[in-house]
Amino acid sequence: MAIMDARESVGTVETVAATGDVDPSLALRRRRRDAVDGAASGAGSEPGAPGAEGVAEDSREGGSAAKSASYDDRDRASGVDSPAESANSASNEKAGKGEGGGRDAVAQFAYRPSAPAHRTVKESPLSSDNIFKQSHAGLFNLCIVVLVAVNSRLIIENLMKYGWLIKTGFWFSSRSLRDWPLLMCCLTLPIFPLSAFTVEKLAQHKYLPQLVIVCLHIIITTASLLYPVLVILRCDSAVLSGVTLMLFACIVWLKLVSYAHTNYDMRSLAKSAEKGDIIPNSLNLEYSYNVSFKTLIYFMVAPTLCYQLSYPRTPCVRKAWVARQLVKLVIFTGVMGFIIEQYINPIVQNSQHPLKGNLLYAIERVLKLSVPNLYVWLCMFYCFFHLWLNILAELLRFGDREFYKDWWNAKTVEEYWRLWNMPVHKWMVRHIYFPCLRNGIPKIVAVVIAFLVSAIFHELCIAVPCHIFKLWAFIGIMFQVPLVLITNYLQNKFNNSMVGNMVFWFIFCILGQPTCLLLYYHDLMNRKGKID
């Protein structure tokens, strides 16, 4: 390794290779002579110029270098070779016969014991001033290897101690026939986008007044959410099936709101244009009001919640890439199922209600549950936000693939919610936050309203399938509002990104999610016990 770094530490190697001279002293004199000539030709240059810096550095070497340079100049002018050139002419001819010979000659003189090994001031790679300028890919690979090794040992130990805990009916079961009403409800959800399209088509031809259009859209969007809720509550279906249906219903509701709100805004802009009002075009906005069934169909299946007339598109579909992502999706889905059945279920079943049992025992269960829950959460994020949404975007040639940002580096809770789920964040900003500001609502109130909407939908997606209305998810989301203020205060006080980031990881992964999971599990078991 020292030999490989020698080219960097020895300053005469490049000069020798460039001039073809083997004598290092001659090459050094030539370099200094060129610096002096450059300084003489650019005497009026700025102090920070490279020529001036070279002259300043060479002037500190003493007068001997200048004498050698002038001696070489006189010899060059008279056409007489210097003694050093005459002595090394034979070796130069041999070195010039081939590139390999020149490299050997350079190595012969560059790596001599008299060559300086330390020439500049350098910091250690892990020093505080240099640590973020280095690549730590090797250490990251080491962490992955250690993580795989440690978890492999834990998996083997768990299998030896408890055996195979995954039930045969984990993926498919005859009891899933009870979920047919939920499946039929999911298949009939496209009725609501079709109804919204009909309303907009009538509005385009000016068959309906504006107030009627708004009322019809409110009825359609409300029905698209209440219909699945009623179906789930009337059927004793599996929790996973109910959660899936509620997620689809919420997505349809968000898309319909964006569809109605965007068309309403385009109608307003079209009326302003007809009146001759000046509309700014600096943001490349699309002001044409056009209702197209094809555009609506693409929007309803596209991985976005914000409606617009056109989207950036990719030129083609990469079939091999889609196949690789599908394989990854199957693998990581299986990993999630294994962790849930082999680790999370036994821990939850052997726990007590966090608010009714021993406090220390509840803390121990929460901490023990936090690690497998974290793995499942990260796998869920990777499967849905990265794999599934990218697969869907590739099949539809949807160009904007920014479904998430680097939320793992979030310094505050507010920053996490801006980076975690970009489709929902863009929808909130577009249809809730800025409309509130345009109507004179203060910023903090607009933030609270956005969190309120998010809390309602989190509660619907969990409480309705579980048939439990304890508002745990609602309280958990609304608790983010004071956490936003606390983490912003910590960030401003300590001015350190690590403090807020550690608070974020602790609140979400170590404390929040395991506690919420235990609360809903025991409430669900108590409900089933009362029913039985």
Side-chain angles (χ1 to χ4, degrees):
M1 296 177 65
I3 294 177
M4 295 178 65
D5 294 337
R7 184 172 61 87
E8 181 182 353
S9 61
V10 180
T12 61
V13 177
E14 296 179 358
T15 308
V16 173
T19 60
D21 295 323
V22 183
D23 188 11
S25 61
L26 178 59
L28 182 62
R29 290 198 301 271
R30 283 185 177 179
R31 182 170 61 85
R32 289 170 176 166
R33 185 184 67 245
D34 294 340
V36 173
D37 294 342
S41 60
S45 61
E46 297 181 0
E53 183 181 355
V55 172
E57 180 181 356
D58 294 335
S59 63
R60 291 194 294 268
E61 300 291 337
S64 59
K67 293 179 181 179
S68 300
S70 60
Y71 177 79
D72 289 340
D73 291 340
R74 289 194 301 271
D75 288 344
R76 296 294 183 190
S78 61
V80 180
D81 292 338
S82 64
E85 290 176 334
S86 300
N88 293 296
S89 58
S91 60
N92 286 341
E93 292 177 359
K94 295 180 180 179
K97 290 181 179 179
E99 185 179 355
R103 287 197 299 266
D104 294 340
V106 170
Q108 179 182 359
F109 286 93
Y111 304 138
R112 298 183 67 87
S114 59
H118 308 282
R119 300 180 63 88
T120 59
V121 177
K122 296 182 180 180
E123 294 288 341
S124 299
L126 296 180
S127 61
S128 58
D129 295 333
N130 206 29
I131 187 170
F132 294 109
K133 300 178 183 178
Q134 305 292 326
S135 174
H136 303 289
L139 294 177
F140 180 74
N141 293 335
L142 175 63
C143 293
I144 294 178
V145 171
V146 173
L147 188 65
V148 171
V150 171
N151 285 277
S152 299
R153 185 194 67 82
L154 293 176
I155 291 174
I156 295 174
E157 181 182 359
N158 181 273
L159 292 175
M160 293 174 60
K161 187 175 181 180
Y162 301 105
W164 189 260
L165 300 179
I166 299 179
K167 302 177 182 179
T168 56
F170 174 71
W171 299 105
F172 303 100
S173 175
S174 59
R175 298 179 60 187
S176 61
L177 295 176
R178 296 185 304 179
D179 299 334
W180 275 106
L182 275 65
L183 178 60
M184 298 305 297
C185 177
C186 185
L187 294 177
T188 55
L189 286 178
I191 295 176
F192 301 102
L194 182 61
S195 303
F197 170 76
T198 304
V199 172
E200 286 299 326
K201 204 65 178 177
L202 294 175
Q204 184 182 16
H205 294 287
K206 300 181 180 179
Y207 292 151
L208 297 175
Q210 188 68 26
L211 181 61
V212 175
I213 296 172
V214 173
C215 293
L216 288 176
H217 276 302
I218 292 176
I219 294 173
I220 292 172
T221 53
T222 305
S224 67
L225 199 60
L226 291 180
Y227 171 53
V229 170
L230 295 177
V231 172
I232 295 174
L233 293 179
R234 290 180 62 88
C235 301
D236 186 18
S237 59
V239 175
L240 183 60
S241 301
V243 171
T244 304
L245 177 58
M246 284 306 305
L247 286 175
F248 276 112
C250 292
I251 291 174
V252 170
W253 187 89
L254 294 172
K255 285 177 176 284
L256 290 179
V257 169
S258 179
Y259 182 72
H261 196 183
T262 303
N263 282 312
Y264 174 84
D265 189 53
M266 288 192 296
R267 283 197 303 272
S268 301
L269 292 174
K271 291 181 181 179
S272 299
E274 291 177 357
K275 294 179 181 179
D277 297 339
I278 299 177
I279 302 175
N281 199 23
S282 59
L283 298 178
N284 297 323
L285 301 177
E286 298 181 2
Y287 298 110
S288 59
Y289 176 54
N290 183 23
V291 180
S292 171
F293 185 72
K294 182 179 179 180
T295 303
L296 174 63
I297 293 299
Y298 184 84
F299 167 62
M300 294 306 298
V301 296
T304 180
L305 299 175
C306 295
Y307 173 74
Q308 57 192 60
L309 296 178
S310 62
Y311 297 93
R313 305 289 294 273
T314 55
C316 62
V317 177
R318 298 170 293 176
K319 298 180 181 178
W321 184 88
V322 172
R324 291 195 300 269
Q325 305 309 309
L326 285 173
V327 172
K328 293 180 183 178
L329 182 62
V330 172
I331 292 175
F332 279 93
T333 303
V335 170
M336 281 195 296
F338 175 79
I339 296 175
I340 291 172
E341 287 292 300
Q342 196 72 24
Y343 289 93
I344 293 182
N345 279 352
I347 296 174
V348 172
Q349 291 172 2
N350 296 327
S351 64
Q352 299 177 356
H353 198 286
L355 302 180
K356 298 179 181 179
N358 190 330
L359 179 60
L360 291 179
Y361 181 77
I363 294 176
E364 187 271 338
R365 291 287 96 179
V366 169
L367 294 178
K368 188 174 183 179
L369 187 61
S370 61
V371 176
N373 177 82
L374 174 61
Y375 290 161
V376 171
W377 185 53
L378 293 178
C379 287
M380 181 276 300
F381 159 77
Y382 185 72
C383 287
F384 183 76
F385 287 97
H386 183 74
L387 294 178
W388 170 245
L389 291 182
N390 273 287
I391 291 172
L392 186 60
E394 187 68 25
L395 294 176
L396 297 173
R397 294 172 48 215
F398 188 82
D400 189 1
R401 310 289 175 87
E402 193 182 49
F403 305 120
Y404 59 91
K405 293 184 179 180
D406 57 335
W407 56 267
W408 46 87
N409 294 326
K411 299 181 288 294
T412 63
V413 174
E414 180 183 7
E415 186 176 359
Y416 163 76
W417 287 110
R418 290 201 308 265
L419 305 177
W420 154 254
N421 189 340
M422 293 306 297
V424 172
H425 170 70
K426 292 177 181 178
W427 187 93
M428 288 285 185
V429 170
R430 193 185 192 204
H431 299 291
I432 292 184
Y433 182 74
F434 280 111
C436 289
L437 296 183
R438 285 194 294 268
N439 286 276
I441 298 176
K443 180 179 178 181
I444 185 63
V445 178
V447 171
V448 173
I449 293 175
F451 274 103
L452 180 64
V453 174
S454 177
I456 292 174
F457 279 95
H458 277 80
E459 182 68 23
L460 287 176
C461 290
I462 301 177
V464 173
C466 294
H467 299 259
I468 297 172
F469 298 94
K470 295 293 185 68
L471 301 180
W472 299 125
F474 181 86
I475 295 173
I477 297 299
M478 293 307 298
F479 186 66
Q480 307 300 311
V481 177
L483 281 179
V484 168
L485 303 177
I486 293 173
T487 52
N488 288 339
Y489 170 78
L490 293 176
Q491 175 65 19
N492 296 330
K493 181 176 179 60
F494 295 100
N495 196 20
N496 189 342
S497 60
M498 299 299 296
V499 176
N501 189 255
M502 287 188 292
V503 171
F504 150 70
W505 282 112
F506 179 79
I507 293 298
F508 274 85
C509 301
I510 307 301
L511 182 62
Q513 294 177 2
T515 303
C516 189
L517 177 60
L518 291 176
L519 289 171
Y520 272 104
Y521 173 80
H522 287 285
D523 288 339
L524 180 61
M525 292 297 103
N526 293 335
R527 184 186 70 85
K528 289 186 176 181
K530 292 179 181 179
I531 293 177
D532 297 338

